[in-house]
Amino acid sequence: NDLTINFLTKQGIDLVTLSLELTFDQMEKMNFGSAGIECIVHGALPMMVSEYCVIGSVLGGRCKDKTCSRPCRERSFSLKDRMNFLFPVEVDQFCRMHIYNPKELCLLAHVDRFIKLGVNSLRIEGKRYSPEVVYQVTKNYRRVIDAAMSNRMNKIDLAEMENSLERLTSAGFTKGHYFRGVIQ
């Protein structure tokens, strides 16, 4: 919120990443002050991080007096919900379990709106991507940023650019909470 951004700016923070739970409408009402603002616009988003690792406990034999055999290093895992969506699960070097959204965030078609809001930095979460995918994603976002900054958005085919990115993932895309919010 505005108070937090103002407080962080006074503490010497140069760049603040806005919550993924904010909508565009909520961001439009905020006063960013002198802070640089960053928004996450693309990538695989963690939905939850847990100190408890189900994989290690169930498959790795981890218990009070036994260390985990690290089955998470041998293959990939996911959790399936009642709608049959598969939520990727990864374990970090500290055995914390990260559960990801089954769909990747993609706001390529809305880059100009972020720019109009005064957002200084657009962040791509690429840690689950290969270098080739990072290259393709950043190339497409760069083209859209350049078009938005020079008022040439009508000269690019956003739908085709988004389709080219969607072909790089089997997960499909989401627009996150930027339009519908968390509280309905």
Side-chain angles (χ1 to χ4, degrees):
N1 63 26
D2 304 54
L3 295 173
T4 304
I5 292 172
N6 188 23
F7 173 79
L8 292 172
T9 303
K10 288 179 181 174
Q11 303 306 309
I13 299 297
D14 295 327
L15 185 68
V16 176
T17 304
L18 295 183
S19 169
L20 286 163
E21 295 180 351
L22 289 172
T23 65
F24 277 117
D25 291 338
Q26 291 168 324
M27 287 189 286
E28 286 171 355
K29 295 173 185 163
M30 293 179 75
N31 177 6
F32 301 142
S34 62
I37 299 298
E38 174 181 74
C39 288
I40 300 171
V41 295
H42 196 95
L45 301 179
M47 297 181 68
M48 183 174 82
V49 178
S50 173
E51 289 289 334
Y52 175 73
C53 178
V54 173
I55 298 167
S57 296
V58 174
L59 300 174
R62 182 178 181 191
C63 59
K64 184 178 174 183
D65 52 351
K66 187 178 175 196
T67 60
C68 178
S69 65
R70 313 274 298 180
C72 56
R73 300 291 181 231
E74 305 298 320
R75 60 183 207 235
S76 60
F77 294 89
S78 60
L79 297 173
K80 185 188 293 189
D81 73 358
R82 62 183 167 74
M83 303 296 287
N84 289 321
F85 282 107
L86 294 175
F87 293 75
V89 176
E90 292 183 0
V91 180
D92 66 20
Q93 70 269 28
F94 303 108
C95 294
R96 289 182 298 229
M97 186 174 69
H98 298 252
I99 302 172
Y100 288 87
N101 190 319
K103 296 186 176 198
E104 294 178 13
L105 182 68
C106 180
L107 291 161
L108 186 73
H110 306 283
V111 164
D112 59 331
R113 190 163 184 187
F114 285 105
I115 291 170
K116 288 174 185 167
L117 281 171
V119 173
N120 310 87
S121 178
L122 302 177
R123 186 164 95 201
I124 296 167
E125 287 291 328
K127 82 175 195 174
R128 297 187 74 225
Y129 290 155
S130 69
E132 297 80 23
V133 172
V134 170
Y135 172 76
Q136 292 299 322
V137 171
T138 55
K139 182 175 85 168
N140 279 301
Y141 274 88
R142 178 80 264 161
R143 283 185 58 212
V144 175
I145 292 167
D146 291 344
M149 298 295 283
S150 61
N151 294 317
R152 293 182 297 118
M153 288 296 289
N154 60 337
K155 302 286 186 197
I156 58 174
D157 186 349
L158 283 169
E160 175 48 39
M161 293 173 78
E162 201 168 277
N163 286 339
S164 74
L165 293 179
E166 197 161 16
R167 288 190 290 272
L168 300 173
T169 179
S170 60
F173 287 142
T174 180
K175 297 203 182 312
H177 296 291
Y178 286 102
F179 292 94
R180 58 183 166 86
V182 174
I183 300 172
Q184 306 234 2

